[in-house]
Amino acid sequence: MKNTTIGIIGAGRIGRLHAENIIHFSNVRLKSISDIFIDDVIDWAKEIRIEQVVTNYEYIIKDEEIDAVFVCSPTNTHAEIIIEAAKNGKHIFCEKPISFSIDETKEVLNAVEKAGVKFQVGFNRRFDRNFLRIHESVKKGVIGNPHVIKITSRDPEPPPVEYIRGSGGLFFDMAIHDFDMARYLANSEVVEVFAVGANLVDPAIGEVGDIDTAITTLTFENGAIGVIDNSRKAVYGYDQRVEVFGDKGNLTCENDRPTTVELSTSDGVHKDKLKHFFLERYKDAYITETQAFIDSIQNGTPLLCDGNDGLRAEIIAKAAKQSYQKGRPIKINN
Amino acid sequence: MKNTTIGIIGAGRIGRLHAENIIHFSNVRLKSISDIFIDDVIDWAKEIRIEQVVTNYEYIIKDEEIDAVFVCSPTNTHAEIIIEAAKNGKHIFCEKPISFSIDETKEVLNAVEKAGVKFQVGFNRRFDRNFLRIHESVKKGVIGNPHVIKITSRDPEPPPVEYIRGSGGLFFDMAIHDFDMARYLANSEVVEVFAVGANLVDPAIGEVGDIDTAITTLTFENGAIGVIDNSRKAVYGYDQRVEVFGDKGNLTCENDRPTTVELSTSDGVHKDKLKHFFLERYKDAYITETQAFIDSIQNGTPLLCDGNDGLRAEIIAKAAKQSYQKGRPIKINN
Amino acid sequence: MKNTTIGIIGAGRIGRLHAENIIHFSNVRLKSISDIFIDDVIDWAKEIRIEQVVTNYEYIIKDEEIDAVFVCSPTNTHAEIIIEAAKNGKHIFCEKPISFSIDETKEVLNAVEKAGVKFQVGFNRRFDRNFLRIHESVKKGVIGNPHVIKITSRDPEPPPVEYIRGSGGLFFDMAIHDFDMARYLANSEVVEVFAVGANLVDPAIGEVGDIDTAITTLTFENGAIGVIDNSRKAVYGYDQRVEVFGDKGNLTCENDRPTTVELSTSDGVHKDKLKHFFLERYKDAYITETQAFIDSIQNGTPLLCDGNDGLRAEIIAKAAKQSYQKGRPIKINN
Amino acid sequence: MKNTTIGIIGAGRIGRLHAENIIHFSNVRLKSISDIFIDDVIDWAKEIRIEQVVTNYEYIIKDEEIDAVFVCSPTNTHAEIIIEAAKNGKHIFCEKPISFSIDETKEVLNAVEKAGVKFQVGFNRRFDRNFLRIHESVKKGVIGNPHVIKITSRDPEPPPVEYIRGSGGLFFDMAIHDFDMARYLANSEVVEVFAVGANLVDPAIGEVGDIDTAITTLTFENGAIGVIDNSRKAVYGYDQRVEVFGDKGNLTCENDRPTTVELSTSDGVHKDKLKHFFLERYKDAYITETQAFIDSIQNGTPLLCDGNDGLRAEIIAKAAKQSYQKGRPIKINN
C-alpha cells in the first residue's frame, strides 16, 4: 500500500481530533503539526507520537516529504494557507467554512483548481452511516423524485458568547452543515431561501447580534422544497435528524443513543438521552471522511465533498442571513 | 344522566360517521338526519335506527325536541344553516371550515354569540390521544417555553381533481387542520406566515390552479416559530406527526400503525405501513370530540375547540395562500 | 342481515363487558342477563337497555327466542350450564377455562358435539390484531418452519389472595391463555412440558399454595420448542409479547401503549408505561371475538377457537402444574 | 503512564482481532505473536507492526520483557499454556472456554491463584455497552430484586460441521457465553438447569451428535429463574437480546443495527437487518475488555470477568448438556 505523509495546521480541538484518528491509519505517516501556541501542544503530540511540532505552518507547507495538509486553523487564516499549500502541490483537507467571504472562497477554489491538487471540505456529516445511506438511497431512486427534504439540527448547548461574536452567526457557523446536507440529500442546487430566526435560548446571544433558533425554507432547482430547523440548545442532547420524502416513499433515521437499553418502571419507560455532541455522534464519520480523503489521494477515488460543496453552502448561508435580516425570500443564481 | 336530542344536517361521509358514532351514546338520542338526496340515505338510516330522515334541514332546526345539530353539509351552506340554527337556540357542532370567507365566518360567530349557544368546530385532531397529550404536556410546562412547533401532515392520496377545484385549495382544505394544530400546540396566536408550494404529485392539480406540496413557516406571538410540511400523496399512508421543542425538552409522537408486528428476514425488518387515512387514524378522535361536545351541553364543561378557533385557522389559511401567491411573508393582526 | 338473540349468564366483570359490547352490534338482540345477585345488576342493565334481568339462568336456557348464550358464571358452574344449554339447542360462548377437570371438560365437549351447536371458548387474545397477524403469517409460511415460540405474559398486579385460593393456581388461571397462544402460534400440539415456578411477588400467594412467577418449556409435535414466562406482577403494566422464530425469519410484536408520545428532557427519554390490564389491552379483541362468534352462527364461518382448544389448554396447564410439583418434564399424549 | 508489554499466543481469527486492537493502545507495547503456522502470519504481522513473530509460544512465556499474554490458541492447548505462563509470572487473558474439562479448569485456576497473576477470561459480551449498563442497573437495584432473566442468543449461521464435531457441542461452544451472561445479569449462582434441544437447522449437525436449537431454564440461588433460547441460524443476523425483570421494573435492550434508517413505501416500512455477527456486533466490546485487562494490570482495578467466571459457565454448560441428554433437571452444587 502506498504511503502518504501528512501535516496538520492548527492543533485546536478539531486538529487534535484529526491527529488522533490519522495516527491509527496504517497507510499514512503523520509527520508534523503546527500551532502558534506550541507549548500547549508539545506533550500531547509526543504522547500520540507525532514526529514534529512546529510554530509556523510554513515549515509544513514547504516540507517536500509532506503530501497533504489538514487545515484546522481559525477560519480567517484558511484562504492564505490553502492558496500557499496549493501552490506547493499539497493535497488539502480544510475544515468548514473555507472562508467568511464568498469572493475569497472563490479565489481559493481557483488556486486549488490551477494547482490540480485534491481539495476536500470537512462536511463530516456526509460520512455518517445513516445520512450516507439516505443519500445513496435517494440517488438510487428508492423514493422516486424527492419532494420534501427535512433537517432537524440542534446543538446540546450554545458555544461561549465570545465565540459566537466572531463566528459569522448561526447561519454561517452552525446551519452551514445543514445547508450542505440539504444539497447532498436533494442532489440538487438551492435556488431560493427564506429564513425566520429568534433569540429564545439566551439573551446574551441576541446582545452580540446573533439568533439561536431558526427555521429556513429552501427551494431546489429540481422542484423539491425543504426545511431546516435549528436550535443552539436542546437539553436532551445533540439532535440530528434528516428526512427525504418522495413520490415513492420516505426515508428517515433516528438519532444515535449511548445504549439501546429501556427501563420500564411504574413511572413509565425510560431511555438514554441522545449522544451529547458532535465528538460522540460523528466519531466514526470523522474517521470515514479522512479515509475517503486518503483514498482519493492514493487511489484516485472521487471526492465526496469538494471545494464547490464548500462554496455552495456558504452561498446558501449568506442568503439565509440576508433573508432573515430583510424579512423576505432571497434568490440564488447557481 | 340528562338526555340530549340531536339532529344531523347532511348525510355524506362525515355526517354518516357522526351518526354511527352518536347512535352508540347512551345519553343521547339521535332523532333526525337531513339530506337533499334522501333516497340514498333512507336504507342506511333505518339500519342504524335513526328515527327520522328529512329532505329539508329546516325540519331539524325548528324541531323543538332537538337540542343540538351537527352541520355536515357542504361548506358553502354552513353560514346560513348555523345562523338559523343559532336563532332557534340549537347548540351547534360544525365541520371545518366554517365558511370560505373570513367575513362570513365572523358573521356566523356573532350570531352564535348572540344566541348564547354552544358552538364547536370539527377539528377532530385536537382529540387524538397523542396530540391531546402533547397539548396538555406543553400547557403544564413539561418542556418549558415552546421554541419550535413542527407538523408533518401528508395525505395518502389526493382527492379527485373535481373536488380540489371547489375545495379552496391546499391551504384552506387540507392545511387548515394543521394551522389549528399549530395554535393548539403553541398555545399562542400566529403573527406571520410564509409559504412555499409546489405542484409535484399530479399535474392535473396544477391545472386547476392548486398545489399539492407545501412548506409553511409560522411566527407566533409568544416568540416561538413553527413549520408545517404538507403533501397530498404519501404512498406509505396517512402521515401525521407533531413535535414541540422547548427550553426544557422535546415532545414527539409516532404515527399509529395497524399492528405493531415486525417481521425480520434475510432482507431486513418489515413493519406495517401507516393507517391508511383519517377514518382509520382518527376513529377514536371523532368519538371523543362528540363526547366532549355532549359533555359541554350536559355539564357545562368548556369547549376544547370553538368558533374562534375555526376563525383563526381560516385567517392563517388565507395568509398562507396569499404568501404563496405573492412570494413574501404575510403579517396577521390578531 | 339475520338477527340473533342472545342471553348472558353471569353479570360479573366479564359478563358486563360482553353485554356492553353486544349492545352495539346492529345484527344482534341482547334479550336477557341472569345473575344470582340480581339487585346489583338491575340499574346497570336498565341503563344499557338489556330487556330482561333474571336470577335463574334456566329462564335463559329455556327461552325459545334465544339463539345463543354467553357463559360468564364462575368456572365451577360452567359444565352444568353448558350441557343444559346444548341440550336446549343454544349456541354457546364460554369463558375460559371450561372446567377445572379434564374429564368434566371432555363430557362438556361430548354434549356440545352431540347437540351440534356452535361452541366457542373465550381465548380473547387470539383475536388481538397483533397476535392474529402473527398467527396468520406463521400459517402462510412467512417465517418457514417454526423453531422457537416465545411468550412473555405478565399481569400488572396479582388478584386478591382469596381469588387465588380458588383459582386453580397460576397455570390454570393465568398461564392457560398462554398455553392456548403457544398452540395457536405453533400450529402444532404440545407433547412435553417442563415448568419451574417461584413465589417471589407476595408470600401470601405462597401461603395459599400457589406460585406467582413461572417459566414453562414446551416441546411441540412438529419439532419446535417454546417457552412462556409468567409473572403476577409487572409494575410497568400488562406485559404481553409473543415471538415466533423460524428458519426463514422471526415475528415479534410490541406491547400497546396508551399513547406514542415521547418526552425528551435532560434526564433522558420518557414514554408511557403499558396499557394497564386486559380490559384496556384487549378491548378490541373482546369485540372481535364476539363478532367472530356471531358470524359463525349467522354465516357458518369456522370458529377460530373451539371446545377442543379449551380442552388442549387445560391438558397443558395440568401437565405444567404436575411438572412444577414433581420437578421433572411431563409428557402429553394427544 | 506505565507501559505494559504483551505477547499473543495464537494468530487465528481471534488472536489477530486482539492484536489489531492492542496495536492502537498508546500505553501498551505489542511485542510478539506466536503461531505454529508462522508463514501465514508473517506478512500480516509486519503490516500491523508487531515486532516479533515466533513459532513456539515458549519464547513468549519466557520473555522477561513481556508482562502479559493473550491465550488465543485452540481450547485443548489452553491449560498447559496458562499454567506455564502463570509460573513465569505473566498476567493472562484467556479466550473462553478455559478448557473442556471442569477438573482441568480447576487445576488452571489453582495455578493462577498460586502465581498471584491477573487472569481474565474472554467473555467479551460483558463489555458490550448495553449489557454492561443492564448489569450495572440491576446491581444498583434499579429494578429491585431480579425475578426473571431472559436471554435470546442466535447466531446468523452455523459454523462448519467439522468445527462443530470438535466444539464440545452447542452448550459448551455457543451457549457458554449466555450462561456467563445469565450469572452476570442475575448477580447470583445457578443451582439447577433444565435444557430441551432440537436439531432443526441442518441434519448434518445432528449427524455429528449435536443440536442447533435449545431452550435452557435456570434456577438461581437468589430465587430468580431464567431462560435462554439459542439457535445456530437466524437468517436476519446475529440476534443478541437480554432482559431482566424484577419487582420494581424491567430492563431490556434492542439489537444493534448497521444504520437507523427507515424506508417507508407502499409496501410498508423497512429497516436494516441486524449486524451480521460477533465481529461487527461486539467490535467495541473487544476493545473495552482489553482496556479493562490492561487497566487491571496497570492500576489494580478489579477484573470484571475472572477465572471463577470461566469455571462457573463451564459447570452450567456441563449441567445443561447432561439435562438435555437425560431429559431431566440437573442440580449444581456451588
Side-chain angles (χ1 to χ4, degrees):
Chain A
M1 206 176 287
K2 251 175 67 186
N3 255 325
T4 304
T5 300
I6 283 179
I8 295 176
I9 296 164
R13 184 166 60 173
I14 197 72
R16 291 180 185 215
L17 171 73
H18 286 303
E20 289 166 13
N21 285 335
I22 291 167
I23 210 79
H24 291 321
F25 279 68
S26 56
N27 56 344
V28 169
R29 173 184 172 209
L30 176 51
K31 184 175 177 189
S32 313
I33 193 160
S34 75
D35 203 281
I36 49 171
F37 304 105
I38 196 169
D39 291 347
D40 298 348
V41 176
I42 227 147
D43 285 350
W44 161 82
K46 202 172 157 189
E47 193 184 308
I48 71 158
R49 304 176 198 174
I50 303 178
E51 300 172 28
Q52 206 174 57
V53 186
V54 298
T55 315
N56 192 328
Y57 71 82
E58 302 254 345
Y59 286 101
I60 290 177
I61 278 173
K62 298 207 167 128
D63 184 335
E64 295 204 344
E65 279 189 356
I66 285 177
D67 303 303
V69 295
F70 277 63
V71 182
C72 306
S73 53
T75 301
N76 58 9
T77 69
H78 283 183
E80 193 186 335
I81 295 173
I82 295 167
I83 291 167
E84 218 175 324
K87 279 187 189 147
N88 282 274
K90 306 303 182 207
H91 301 298
I92 298 154
F93 178 103
C94 178
E95 277 305 319
K96 62 93 222 172
I98 301 175
S99 82
F100 286 133
S101 135
I102 308 290
D103 286 343
E104 203 173 52
T105 297
K106 282 179 176 167
E107 225 178 289
V108 165
L109 264 59
N110 282 335
V112 164
E113 197 184 8
K114 226 164 97 186
V117 296
K118 305 274 179 190
F119 183 59
Q120 184 172 322
V121 175
F123 285 129
N124 55 303
R125 299 183 194 175
R126 288 188 174 219
F127 299 86
D128 173 76
R129 69 198 203 292
N130 295 316
F131 303 154
L132 181 58
R133 168 76 66 81
I134 290 181
H135 166 79
E136 284 170 350
S137 298
V138 173
K139 259 194 142 162
K140 269 189 242 161
V142 164
I143 54 147
N145 295 314
H147 289 184
V148 179
I149 284 87
K150 284 174 62 183
I151 299 174
T152 292
S153 177
R154 299 172 187 156
D155 287 351
E157 55 201 2
V161 170
E162 268 326 292
Y163 172 88
I164 285 180
R165 197 193 295 272
S167 72
L170 181 138
F171 296 112
F172 249 85
D173 177 56
M174 177 187 178
I176 197 164
H177 274 293
D178 307 305
F179 297 139
D180 179 62
M181 184 56 65
R183 291 179 61 243
Y184 180 62
L185 296 175
N187 290 301
S188 179
E189 296 302 341
V190 170
V191 294
E192 194 182 281
V193 180
F194 176 77
V196 294
N199 175 218
L200 301 170
V201 169
D202 183 354
I205 293 173
E207 282 157 22
V208 299
D210 202 3
I211 51 173
D212 45 42
T213 309
I215 292 175
T216 309
T217 305
L218 306 169
T219 308
F220 295 91
E221 221 164 39
N222 64 5
I225 51 183
V227 66
I228 299 164
D229 71 280
N230 291 110
S231 171
R232 284 284 195 185
K233 187 172 183 188
V235 293
Y236 54 94
Y238 191 41
D239 192 352
Q240 299 274 296
R241 285 171 282 159
V242 312
E243 175 170 346
V244 187
F245 168 75
D247 57 347
K248 291 189 182 152
N250 197 34
L251 281 158
T252 60
C253 61
E254 275 175 51
N255 276 296
D256 285 344
R257 290 169 203 281
T259 76
T260 66
V261 174
E262 284 200 358
L263 169 64
S264 299
T265 71
S266 55
D267 291 333
V269 180
H270 313 264
K271 297 194 293 185
D272 282 358
K273 57 185 201 171
L274 306 183
K275 290 191 174 178
H276 182 63
F277 212 169
F278 62 95
L279 294 180
E280 295 87 355
R281 167 66 182 259
Y282 293 122
K283 188 169 172 270
D284 290 338
Y286 280 112
I287 296 171
T288 314
E289 74 171 356
T290 299
Q291 275 172 334
F293 178 57
I294 301 299
D295 231 45
S296 179
I297 294 171
Q298 294 186 349
N299 309 312
T301 52
L303 293 169
L304 194 52
C305 183
D306 63 15
N308 182 54
D309 294 316
L311 175 63
R312 291 288 158 202
E314 289 171 25
I315 290 171
I316 302 168
K318 192 179 164 190
K321 192 171 181 175
Q322 232 181 325
S323 169
Y324 163 66
Q325 286 166 341
K326 303 200 171 170
R328 61 172 175 79
I330 301 293
K331 293 222 178 299
I332 295 174
N333 296 311
N334 288 287
Chain B
M1 204 176 288
K2 253 176 64 186
N3 255 324
T4 304
T5 301
I6 283 179
I8 295 176
I9 296 166
R13 186 165 58 173
I14 197 72
R16 292 181 184 215
L17 172 71
H18 286 302
E20 288 166 11
N21 285 335
I22 291 169
I23 210 76
H24 291 322
F25 280 67
S26 56
N27 55 344
V28 170
R29 173 183 172 210
L30 176 51
K31 183 175 178 188
S32 313
I33 193 160
S34 75
D35 203 282
I36 49 172
F37 304 105
I38 196 169
D39 291 348
D40 298 348
V41 176
I42 227 147
D43 285 351
W44 161 83
K46 202 172 156 190
E47 193 183 307
I48 70 157
R49 305 176 198 173
I50 304 179
E51 300 171 29
Q52 206 174 56
V53 186
V54 298
T55 314
N56 193 326
Y57 71 83
E58 303 254 344
Y59 286 102
I60 291 178
I61 279 173
K62 299 204 167 130
D63 184 336
E64 296 203 344
E65 280 190 355
I66 285 177
D67 303 303
V69 296
F70 278 63
V71 181
C72 305
S73 53
T75 301
N76 58 9
T77 68
H78 284 184
E80 193 188 335
I81 295 173
I82 296 168
I83 291 168
E84 217 175 327
K87 279 185 191 151
N88 283 275
K90 307 303 181 206
H91 301 299
I92 298 155
F93 178 103
C94 178
E95 278 304 318
K96 61 92 225 176
I98 300 174
S99 82
F100 286 134
S101 136
I102 307 292
D103 287 342
E104 202 172 50
T105 296
K106 284 179 175 169
E107 224 179 291
V108 164
L109 263 59
N110 282 335
V112 164
E113 198 184 5
K114 225 163 98 187
V117 296
K118 306 274 179 189
F119 183 58
Q120 184 172 321
V121 175
F123 284 130
N124 55 302
R125 296 182 196 176
R126 287 188 173 219
F127 299 86
D128 175 77
R129 69 197 203 292
N130 296 315
F131 302 154
L132 181 58
R133 168 76 66 81
I134 291 181
H135 165 78
E136 285 170 350
S137 299
V138 173
K139 260 193 140 164
K140 270 189 245 163
V142 165
I143 56 148
N145 295 313
H147 288 184
V148 179
I149 283 88
K150 285 174 61 183
I151 299 173
T152 292
S153 176
R154 299 171 187 157
D155 288 349
E157 56 201 0
V161 170
E162 268 326 293
Y163 172 88
I164 285 179
R165 195 192 297 271
S167 71
L170 181 137
F171 296 112
F172 250 85
D173 177 55
M174 177 185 177
I176 196 164
H177 274 293
D178 306 306
F179 297 140
D180 178 63
M181 184 56 65
R183 290 179 63 245
Y184 179 64
L185 296 176
N187 290 301
S188 179
E189 298 301 340
V190 170
V191 295
E192 193 183 283
V193 179
F194 176 76
V196 295
N199 175 220
L200 300 169
V201 169
D202 183 354
I205 293 171
E207 282 158 22
V208 298
D210 202 3
I211 53 174
D212 45 41
T213 309
I215 291 175
T216 309
T217 304
L218 307 169
T219 308
F220 295 90
E221 222 165 38
N222 64 4
I225 50 181
V227 65
I228 299 163
D229 70 278
N230 291 109
S231 171
R232 285 283 196 185
K233 187 173 182 187
V235 293
Y236 54 94
Y238 190 41
D239 193 351
Q240 298 275 296
R241 284 172 282 160
V242 312
E243 176 170 344
V244 187
F245 169 74
D247 59 345
K248 291 190 182 151
N250 197 33
L251 282 158
T252 59
C253 61
E254 275 175 52
N255 277 295
D256 285 344
R257 289 168 202 283
T259 76
T260 66
V261 174
E262 285 200 0
L263 168 65
S264 299
T265 70
S266 55
D267 291 334
V269 180
H270 312 266
K271 295 193 293 185
D272 282 357
K273 57 186 202 172
L274 307 183
K275 289 190 174 180
H276 182 61
F277 213 167
F278 61 95
L279 295 181
E280 295 87 356
R281 168 66 182 260
Y282 294 122
K283 187 168 172 275
D284 290 339
Y286 280 112
I287 296 171
T288 314
E289 72 171 355
T290 298
Q291 276 172 333
F293 179 57
I294 300 299
D295 232 43
S296 180
I297 294 172
Q298 294 186 349
N299 310 313
T301 53
L303 291 169
L304 195 52
C305 183
D306 64 15
N308 182 52
D309 295 316
L311 174 65
R312 291 288 158 202
E314 288 172 26
I315 289 171
I316 303 169
K318 193 179 163 189
K321 192 170 181 175
Q322 232 182 327
S323 170
Y324 163 66
Q325 284 166 343
K326 302 199 170 170
R328 61 174 175 80
I330 301 293
K331 294 221 179 300
I332 294 175
N333 295 312
N334 288 286
Chain C
M1 207 177 285
K2 252 176 66 186
N3 255 324
T4 303
T5 301
I6 283 179
I8 295 176
I9 296 165
R13 185 167 57 176
I14 197 74
R16 290 180 186 217
L17 172 72
H18 285 303
E20 288 166 12
N21 285 335
I22 290 169
I23 211 77
H24 291 322
F25 279 68
S26 56
N27 56 345
V28 170
R29 174 184 171 208
L30 176 51
K31 182 175 177 189
S32 313
I33 194 160
S34 75
D35 203 282
I36 49 171
F37 304 106
I38 196 170
D39 291 347
D40 298 348
V41 176
I42 227 146
D43 284 351
W44 161 82
K46 203 172 156 188
E47 193 182 310
I48 72 158
R49 305 176 197 174
I50 305 178
E51 302 171 27
Q52 206 173 57
V53 185
V54 298
T55 315
N56 193 326
Y57 71 82
E58 301 255 344
Y59 286 101
I60 290 177
I61 278 173
K62 297 207 168 127
D63 185 335
E64 294 204 344
E65 279 190 358
I66 285 178
D67 303 304
V69 296
F70 277 64
V71 182
C72 305
S73 53
T75 301
N76 57 10
T77 68
H78 283 184
E80 195 186 334
I81 295 172
I82 296 168
I83 290 169
E84 220 176 323
K87 277 186 190 150
N88 283 275
K90 307 302 182 207
H91 300 299
I92 298 155
F93 178 103
C94 179
E95 276 305 317
K96 63 91 223 173
I98 300 175
S99 82
F100 286 134
S101 137
I102 308 291
D103 286 343
E104 204 173 51
T105 296
K106 283 180 175 166
E107 226 179 289
V108 165
L109 264 59
N110 282 335
V112 164
E113 197 183 7
K114 227 163 96 186
V117 295
K118 305 276 179 188
F119 184 58
Q120 184 172 324
V121 175
F123 285 131
N124 56 302
R125 298 183 195 175
R126 287 188 175 219
F127 299 86
D128 174 77
R129 69 199 204 290
N130 295 315
F131 302 155
L132 180 59
R133 168 75 67 80
I134 291 181
H135 165 78
E136 284 170 350
S137 298
V138 173
K139 259 193 141 164
K140 269 190 244 161
V142 164
I143 56 146
N145 295 313
H147 288 185
V148 178
I149 283 87
K150 285 175 60 184
I151 298 172
T152 291
S153 176
R154 299 171 187 157
D155 288 351
E157 55 200 1
V161 170
E162 269 326 290
Y163 172 89
I164 285 180
R165 196 193 295 273
S167 73
L170 181 136
F171 296 113
F172 249 84
D173 178 56
M174 179 186 174
I176 196 164
H177 274 293
D178 307 305
F179 298 140
D180 179 63
M181 185 55 66
R183 292 178 61 243
Y184 179 65
L185 296 176
N187 289 302
S188 179
E189 296 303 339
V190 170
V191 295
E192 195 183 280
V193 180
F194 176 77
V196 295
N199 175 220
L200 301 169
V201 170
D202 184 354
I205 293 172
E207 282 157 23
V208 298
D210 202 3
I211 52 175
D212 46 40
T213 310
I215 292 175
T216 308
T217 306
L218 306 169
T219 309
F220 295 90
E221 222 165 37
N222 64 4
I225 51 182
V227 65
I228 298 162
D229 70 280
N230 291 110
S231 170
R232 284 282 195 186
K233 188 172 181 187
V235 293
Y236 54 94
Y238 190 41
D239 192 352
Q240 300 274 296
R241 285 171 283 158
V242 311
E243 175 170 345
V244 187
F245 169 74
D247 58 346
K248 291 191 183 150
N250 197 35
L251 282 159
T252 59
C253 61
E254 275 176 51
N255 277 295
D256 285 344
R257 289 169 203 282
T259 76
T260 66
V261 174
E262 285 199 359
L263 168 65
S264 300
T265 70
S266 56
D267 292 332
V269 180
H270 313 265
K271 297 193 292 184
D272 281 358
K273 57 185 202 171
L274 307 182
K275 290 191 174 180
H276 181 63
F277 213 168
F278 61 96
L279 295 181
E280 295 86 356
R281 168 65 183 259
Y282 293 123
K283 187 168 173 271
D284 289 338
Y286 281 111
I287 296 171
T288 315
E289 73 173 355
T290 299
Q291 276 172 333
F293 178 57
I294 301 299
D295 231 45
S296 181
I297 293 171
Q298 294 186 349
N299 309 313
T301 52
L303 292 169
L304 196 52
C305 184
D306 63 16
N308 183 53
D309 294 316
L311 175 64
R312 291 289 157 204
E314 288 172 25
I315 289 171
I316 302 169
K318 193 180 163 188
K321 193 170 180 176
Q322 233 183 327
S323 169
Y324 164 65
Q325 286 167 342
K326 302 200 169 169
R328 62 172 175 77
I330 301 294
K331 293 221 177 302
I332 294 174
N333 295 311
N334 288 286
Chain D
M1 206 176 287
K2 254 176 64 187
N3 255 324
T4 304
T5 301
I6 283 179
I8 295 176
I9 296 165
R13 185 168 56 174
I14 195 74
R16 292 181 184 216
L17 172 71
H18 285 302
E20 288 166 11
N21 285 335
I22 291 167
I23 211 75
H24 291 322
F25 279 67
S26 56
N27 57 344
V28 169
R29 172 183 173 211
L30 176 50
K31 182 175 178 188
S32 314
I33 194 160
S34 76
D35 203 281
I36 49 173
F37 304 106
I38 197 171
D39 290 349
D40 298 347
V41 177
I42 227 145
D43 285 351
W44 161 81
K46 202 171 155 189
E47 192 182 311
I48 71 158
R49 304 177 198 171
I50 304 178
E51 301 172 28
Q52 206 175 56
V53 186
V54 299
T55 315
N56 193 327
Y57 72 83
E58 303 255 345
Y59 285 102
I60 290 177
I61 277 174
K62 300 209 165 126
D63 184 335
E64 294 203 344
E65 279 190 355
I66 285 176
D67 303 303
V69 295
F70 277 63
V71 181
C72 305
S73 54
T75 301
N76 58 9
T77 69
H78 284 184
E80 195 186 334
I81 295 172
I82 295 168
I83 290 167
E84 220 175 323
K87 279 187 191 150
N88 282 276
K90 307 303 182 209
H91 300 299
I92 298 153
F93 178 103
C94 178
E95 277 304 319
K96 61 91 226 176
I98 301 175
S99 82
F100 286 132
S101 138
I102 307 292
D103 287 342
E104 203 172 52
T105 296
K106 284 179 176 167
E107 226 178 290
V108 164
L109 263 59
N110 282 335
V112 164
E113 198 185 6
K114 228 164 95 184
V117 296
K118 305 274 181 189
F119 183 58
Q120 184 172 323
V121 176
F123 285 129
N124 55 301
R125 296 182 196 177
R126 286 188 174 221
F127 300 86
D128 174 75
R129 71 198 202 292
N130 295 315
F131 302 153
L132 181 58
R133 168 75 67 81
I134 290 181
H135 165 78
E136 285 170 349
S137 298
V138 173
K139 260 193 140 164
K140 269 188 244 161
V142 165
I143 55 148
N145 296 311
H147 288 184
V148 178
I149 284 87
K150 285 173 61 182
I151 299 172
T152 293
S153 177
R154 299 171 187 157
D155 288 350
E157 56 201 0
V161 171
E162 268 328 291
Y163 171 88
I164 285 180
R165 196 193 296 271
S167 72
L170 179 138
F171 296 112
F172 250 85
D173 178 54
M174 178 186 176
I176 196 163
H177 274 293
D178 307 304
F179 298 141
D180 179 62
M181 185 54 66
R183 290 180 61 245
Y184 179 65
L185 296 176
N187 290 301
S188 179
E189 296 302 341
V190 170
V191 295
E192 195 182 280
V193 180
F194 176 77
V196 294
N199 176 220
L200 300 169
V201 170
D202 182 354
I205 293 172
E207 282 158 21
V208 298
D210 202 2
I211 52 174
D212 45 41
T213 309
I215 291 175
T216 308
T217 305
L218 306 169
T219 308
F220 295 91
E221 223 165 36
N222 63 5
I225 51 181
V227 65
I228 298 163
D229 71 278
N230 291 111
S231 170
R232 284 286 196 184
K233 188 173 182 187
V235 294
Y236 54 94
Y238 191 40
D239 192 353
Q240 300 274 296
R241 284 171 282 160
V242 312
E243 176 170 344
V244 187
F245 168 75
D247 58 346
K248 290 190 184 151
N250 197 34
L251 282 158
T252 59
C253 62
E254 274 176 52
N255 276 295
D256 285 344
R257 291 168 202 282
T259 77
T260 65
V261 174
E262 285 200 359
L263 169 63
S264 300
T265 70
S266 55
D267 292 333
V269 180
H270 312 265
K271 296 194 292 185
D272 280 359
K273 57 186 201 171
L274 307 182
K275 289 192 173 178
H276 182 62
F277 213 167
F278 61 95
L279 295 181
E280 295 88 356
R281 167 66 183 258
Y282 293 123
K283 187 167 173 275
D284 290 339
Y286 281 112
I287 295 169
T288 314
E289 72 171 357
T290 299
Q291 276 170 334
F293 179 58
I294 300 299
D295 230 45
S296 180
I297 293 172
Q298 294 185 349
N299 308 314
T301 53
L303 292 169
L304 195 54
C305 184
D306 63 15
N308 182 53
D309 294 316
L311 175 64
R312 291 288 157 201
E314 288 171 26
I315 289 171
I316 303 169
K318 193 181 164 189
K321 192 171 182 176
Q322 234 181 325
S323 170
Y324 163 66
Q325 285 166 342
K326 301 199 170 170
R328 60 173 176 78
I330 301 292
K331 293 221 177 301
I332 294 175
N333 295 311
N334 288 287

